[in-house]
Amino acid sequence: MNINKKRFLKVITASTLTLSLGLGTVLGAAPEEQAQAKAKTTNIEKTSTITTVSSSKAVKISGKYKTKAALNMRKGASTKYKRVMTLKKGAVVSATYKKTVNSKKWYKVKYKGKSGWVSASYVKKYKKTKKVSSAVAGSKVISVGKQYLGVPYVWGGMSPSGFDCSGFTAYVYKKAGYGTLPHSSRTQYSVTKRVSKPDVGDLIFFGATPGSGSITHVGIYAGNNLVLHAAGNKVQIQSVAKGSYWAPRIIGYGSL
């Protein structure tokens, strides 16, 4: 009986102590304990605030972007929004705003009168690449070709020790870095693109006689009605202007 009473008192005492500690935390905790509890609460609130901020405000931008693949343009900055249209790969769009949603960047863009949001992961900054103009490329060809002015004409020649007409054009084009041409004026005509008016650096094809349709000679157009070619006894520049020896012998022009 005395043993049971002692056990009963121990249980009561332990329960009372547990209850006191619990109430103390809520109501009567020591100042330093309250401060720690407050700090924990504040940290939780801060964490909650960070996780709930999933998107940023749209920032105004400008610039053009090119799609890297077929891409959906949407009404909002998320895949949950409806599709406005599907852009083809390579489409160039104008960006007006950017926004980050759930750590992913989106652009608001315009394309053919329509606007919407696209994922930044599937577009890249578009820079209008200027095709190397024929004038720039041609100038390089002429610059290389002029280095061999005065080199003797040699039938079948393809080197600075001697050139024939097609050997000269093939050598100069290769040296300038603009392709490999076959060693034949007729074959060079067949592998080049026909143009109605030559740019500097294009090829000019000639016949042996005025009005001839059979190609027997080729040179490089140097601009200002001039041709740079291996003709006569050397590499030289001559006129192809109206009234010149070569003008009535022109059959056509070819461009690479």
Side-chain angles (χ1 to χ4, degrees), residues 8-71:
F8 179 75
L9 288 173
K10 284 181 180 181
V11 171
I12 294 297
T13 303
S15 300
T16 303
L17 181 59
T18 301
L19 181 60
S20 298
L21 289 172
L23 290 173
T25 302
V26 178
L27 302 174
E32 62 271 18
E33 293 175 341
Q34 291 180 4
Q36 289 175 2
K38 185 176 181 181
K40 288 180 181 179
T41 304
T42 303
N43 288 337
I44 292 170
E45 289 175 352
K46 286 181 179 178
T47 304
S48 299
T49 302
I50 291 170
T51 55
T52 55
V53 176
S54 59
S55 64
S56 63
K57 291 182 179 180
V59 178
K60 193 170 184 179
I61 60 171
S62 63
K64 291 186 180 293
Y65 291 82
K66 187 176 182 179
T67 59
K68 296 188 285 187
L71 179 62

Side-chain angles (χ1 to χ4, degrees), residues 19 32 35 39 48 61 65-66 74 84 103 114-115 119 124 131 133 140 143 157 161 173-174 181 211 227 232 235:
L19 181 60
E32 62 271 18
S48 299
I61 60 171
Y65 291 82
K66 187 176 182 179
R74 299 183 179 277
V84 175
S103 301
K114 294 185 178 181
S115 63
S119 170
K124 60 182 178 180
K131 189 178 180 181
S133 69
K140 185 175 181 180
S143 178
S161 61
Y173 263 74
K174 186 175 182 179
L181 291 170
V227 61
V235 174

